[in-house]
Amino acid sequence: MRKLHLVFIFLFLCLSIQGQLTIQSVLEQYNNGSVDYIMVEALGQKDNFVVLDTREREEFEVSHLEAALWVGYDTFELKEVLQLVPDKDTQVVVYCSVGVRSEDIGQKLQDAGYANVQNLYGGIFEWKNQGHPVYDETGLSTEKVHGYSKYWGSILTNGTKVYSSKTESGVERKQ
């Protein structure tokens, strides 16, 4: 009986570990690899690129990467990007919370002829998890990061999570 009990505990622990939400598991589940990733370390070393934030405005206002331009997701308009980045050979990095919404926007940019688009692996969550700075709407450094929802926010392990009333409920949308 004791052996059976230990087997059940072992199985439970294995299943708990397997079901844990991670950046890698989210990207494997939701992304198809249509936009190449750029790792956080590599982005931190680059200097001639345009960074586009593909989250919603409220998320961007809480914090964003330095010099990032907001383009949104639900409200994304290609014509606005064409005005912000008219040269389609410009190196463009897209990001969102984790990297799923930004892959969608990156694909739209590629379809429009942008030749050098990369998706930030792990998005702003991985950026902040690795200790890089983020900035609020006034340009000041902040520890706050919009967690999107408590479900998705569990991936953010560094910084102060902020939620809005419409995402705090945990209603899951595509991240």
Side-chain angles (χ1 to χ4, degrees), residues 26-163:
V26 167
L27 295 178
E28 287 173 357
Q29 180 177 358
Y30 292 102
N31 283 6
N32 61 25
S34 63
V35 179
D36 290 338
Y37 290 114
I38 183 170
M39 304 307 284
V40 166
E41 302 82 22
L43 179 60
Q45 297 171 3
K46 291 185 96 173
D47 60 358
N48 61 338
F49 53 88
V50 173
V51 178
L52 302 178
D53 189 313
T54 67
R55 300 173 302 151
E56 295 308 315
R57 188 70 176 181
E58 179 180 20
E59 296 169 88
F60 178 83
E61 289 174 354
V62 170
S63 65
H64 52 270
L65 277 60
E66 186 174 30
L69 303 172
W70 178 78
V71 297
Y73 182 75
D74 288 337
T75 58
F76 176 79
E77 292 284 340
L78 183 59
K79 64 183 178 186
E80 291 178 18
V81 175
L82 289 167
Q83 291 176 348
L84 293 170
V85 188
D87 180 357
K88 291 186 177 182
D89 289 324
T90 301
Q91 291 184 327
V92 176
V93 174
V94 292
Y95 77 92
C96 62
S97 297
V98 177
V100 176
R101 291 179 286 176
S102 52
E103 181 179 68
D104 292 345
I105 300 301
Q107 183 62 59
K108 289 179 181 182
L109 294 172
Q110 289 175 337
D111 292 346
Y114 284 88
N116 299 305
V117 180
Q118 292 179 293
N119 186 11
L120 180 60
Y121 183 91
I124 195 172
F125 287 5
E126 184 63 12
W127 181 263
K128 189 64 181 157
N129 286 348
Q130 290 193 26
H132 293 280
V134 293
Y135 299 88
D136 65 19
E137 63 186 321
T138 66
L140 297 175
S141 180
T142 183
E143 289 301 308
K144 294 179 182 178
V145 177
H146 197 291
Y148 189 75
S149 72
K150 290 189 177 180
Y151 175 78
W152 292 106
S154 67
I155 301 172
L156 179 65
T157 59
N158 188 10
T160 304
K161 299 171 194 173
V162 174
Y163 300 99

Side-chain angles (χ1 to χ4, degrees), residues 1-12:
M1 183 67 163
R2 180 167 165 75
K3 286 184 181 179
L4 184 61
H5 183 68
L6 290 175
V7 168
F8 281 122
I9 290 173
F10 177 75
L11 287 173
F12 175 76

